[in-house]
Amino acid sequence: MSVFDHPEFDQHESLHFVQDPNSGLKAIIAIHSTALGPAAGGCRRWQYVNDDDALTDALRLSRGMTYKNAVAGLKFGGGKSVILASDDAPKSAELFHAFGRQIEALGGRYITAEDVGCSVEDMRLVKEKTNYVSGLPKSGDSAGGDPSPHTALGVFLGIKSALKAKSGNDTLDGIRVAVQGVGHVGLHLCRLLHDAGATLVISDVNNDNIQLVRDELPVTVVAPTELLYSDVDVLAPCALGNILTSQTIPLIKASIIAGAANNQLATDEDGARLAEHDILYAPDYVINAGGIINVAHEYYSDGSEEIVRTDIERIPERLDAIFAEALETGKPTNAIADELARRLVSGQVHPERRSA
Ligand code: NAD
């Protein structure tokens, strides 16, 4: 497949295919836009079926970061990296050092952090070779550390926003929520939802992660193939993307979809399909911005825990505006968010004067 004609290419500024034979590193670094600042987005380490899948993932995630950072009002453009995991290239200090050297070579056009398959410790290793990295071990009260609790907080507040838009009441007491994927974000989200009185249904392909939640909280566990179709009020996807499709949407019983996973919609048309089924969809990159908000304050050294929290508490305002516009115009929520993001990136609207 030609890279420039790739259906997800969408005017990426640059794409970098990098490798290091000694550590086995093979990675793709995608820089979608630096219009609003250096391209920032996490590093995903994943065992892809083939290189094309890795490229598609990198391109989609990278564009999503441009939109996410713009809508969250951050001084960041959008980028993302994927490390192609394989048995020949296990996680090692050498691998993350090699990755760090490649990021350093980009001279600050791309800033990395952790995503699926990477940890704070991995980013600490990257930091030994470059300063263009965030999500590092936290020190004192300043922003930093694992972004996932911050992402979970934003998603939790976003679920309340969606409940209010749907039923006029944002209480979680007695609300049934299905959480797909109980990794870093999913676990924290389950805790917040449980504390607020929600009833939880969960699934994961990793039994250890399920057990961690089970040891701590009352949950119903269902098979990964069933979770999407659970009889619940809210579906919170917190695993991987491309789960909302023409096949899955008609079978979903939840009336709200609000979760952390990036690229939940397989295609833009699936946003319209959700609206047709009267399912309120919280655009993924709007609701899951808590982690990158923390990363931004850490990177620019301009925020305490309290400032990060205050910024995350603004996520519901953005969702409220998107939900209100959807109600008024009948447009799908993903289309409203995308239009706003594109206007922000092209400078047609100032971040502080947007309508959503
Ligand atoms: P994670 O790797 O810690 O957790 C993902 C979990 O999903 C794992 O436990 C995995 O076993 C599980 N999983 C994978 N496929 C599954 C399936 N088919 N069914 C059920 N479970 C499945 O990742 P994370 O950091 O918690 O991120 C979760 C999602 O949220 C990802 O899409 C990520 O890109 C997105 N996200 C994360 C952050 C963050 O701060 N970590 C920020 C924004 C967006």
Side-chain angles (χ1 to χ4, degrees):
M1 180 192 304
S2 155
V3 171
F4 290 102
D5 295 334
H6 191 291
E8 304 294 342
F9 189 74
D10 195 21
Q11 300 180 18
H12 265 70
E13 285 182 16
S14 63
L15 258 181
H16 308 265
F17 297 85
V18 303
Q19 66 163 338
D20 171 61
N22 292 329
S23 62
L25 174 75
K26 273 190 181 174
I28 303 172
I29 303 171
I31 297 181
H32 179 250
S33 168
T34 56
L36 299 180
C43 171
R44 174 170 292 189
R45 182 176 174 276
W46 192 253
Q47 195 141 9
Y48 291 96
V49 174
N50 54 43
D51 295 0
D52 277 351
D53 283 4
L55 174 62
T56 302
D57 208 26
L59 290 171
R60 291 196 76 200
L61 289 165
S62 165
R63 186 187 76 163
M65 288 311 301
T66 299
Y67 288 6
K68 184 186 309 196
N69 294 334
V71 173
L74 303 175
K75 288 180 279 179
F76 278 155
K80 197 89 180 182
S81 50
V82 299
I83 293 179
L84 285 72
S86 76
D87 296 340
D88 303 337
K91 271 194 177 189
S92 67
E94 291 72 32
L95 184 121
F96 285 104
H97 283 163
F99 181 61
R101 283 194 298 273
Q102 294 289 352
I103 291 173
E104 178 65 17
L106 296 173
R109 294 187 62 237
Y110 169 66
I111 297 160
T112 198
E114 51 273 76
D115 187 50
V116 173
C118 290
S119 66
V120 174
E121 171 57 17
D122 299 332
M123 293 307 115
R124 195 190 61 71
L125 291 167
V126 172
K127 169 78 176 169
E128 289 176 354
K129 299 296 171 190
T130 184
N131 283 327
Y132 304 123
V133 55
S134 202
L136 297 162
K138 198 170 143 45
S139 68
D141 177 47
S142 51
D146 177 8
S148 59
H150 303 281
T151 304
L153 174 63
V155 171
F156 172 74
L157 297 173
I159 289 175
K160 286 169 75 70
S161 216
L163 282 168
K164 197 168 84 205
K166 195 81 184 165
S167 67
N169 185 344
D170 75 353
T171 180
L172 274 151
D173 205 15
I175 296 291
R176 296 158 303 163
V177 186
V179 181
Q180 182 186 44
V182 287
H184 287 90
V185 180
L187 171 63
H188 290 291
L189 180 63
C190 284
R191 288 180 180 140
L192 293 169
L193 290 168
H194 170 73
D195 290 351
T199 306
L200 297 172
V201 178
I202 65 163
S203 80
D204 202 293
V205 291
N206 178 331
N207 286 330
D208 293 344
N209 287 355
I210 288 189
Q211 199 53 46
L212 275 178
V213 185
R214 246 188 179 149
D215 289 346
E216 196 181 316
L217 304 170
V219 291
T220 302
V221 179
V222 300
T225 46
E226 286 172 29
L227 189 280
L228 285 182
Y229 318 118
S230 304
D231 188 9
V232 292
D233 305 294
V234 180
L235 173 62
C238 296
L240 297 177
N242 293 325
I243 53 157
L244 304 174
T245 68
S246 55
Q247 279 86 41
T248 62
I249 290 169
L251 305 174
I252 291 174
K253 297 192 187 81
S255 60
I256 290 171
I257 299 182
N262 284 308
N263 295 333
Q264 293 169 35
L265 300 171
T267 65
D268 288 347
E269 294 71 44
D270 291 308
R273 202 166 275 124
L274 287 172
E276 281 160 22
H277 283 79
D278 200 21
I279 297 172
L280 183 61
Y281 171 66
D284 46 15
Y285 59 79
V286 182
I287 193 171
N288 74 11
I292 195 75
I293 289 172
N294 185 57
V295 160
H297 282 298
E298 175 187 347
Y299 188 76
Y300 290 115
S301 303
D302 64 358
S304 61
E305 281 272 334
E306 199 184 323
I307 290 175
V308 169
R309 193 180 170 97
T310 306
D311 272 6
I312 292 172
E313 284 169 354
R314 295 195 59 200
I315 290 174
E317 288 170 28
R318 296 175 191 131
L319 288 170
D320 290 349
I322 290 169
F323 295 151
E325 191 174 332
L327 191 66
E328 196 181 305
T329 62
K331 278 190 201 163
T333 53
N334 62 310
I336 294 169
D338 287 358
E339 277 167 25
L340 170 66
R342 284 194 282 263
R343 288 203 310 273
L344 288 162
V345 174
S346 65
Q348 287 171 38
V349 52
H350 187 275
E352 296 308 319
R353 288 197 213 104
R354 57 189 173 196
S355 58

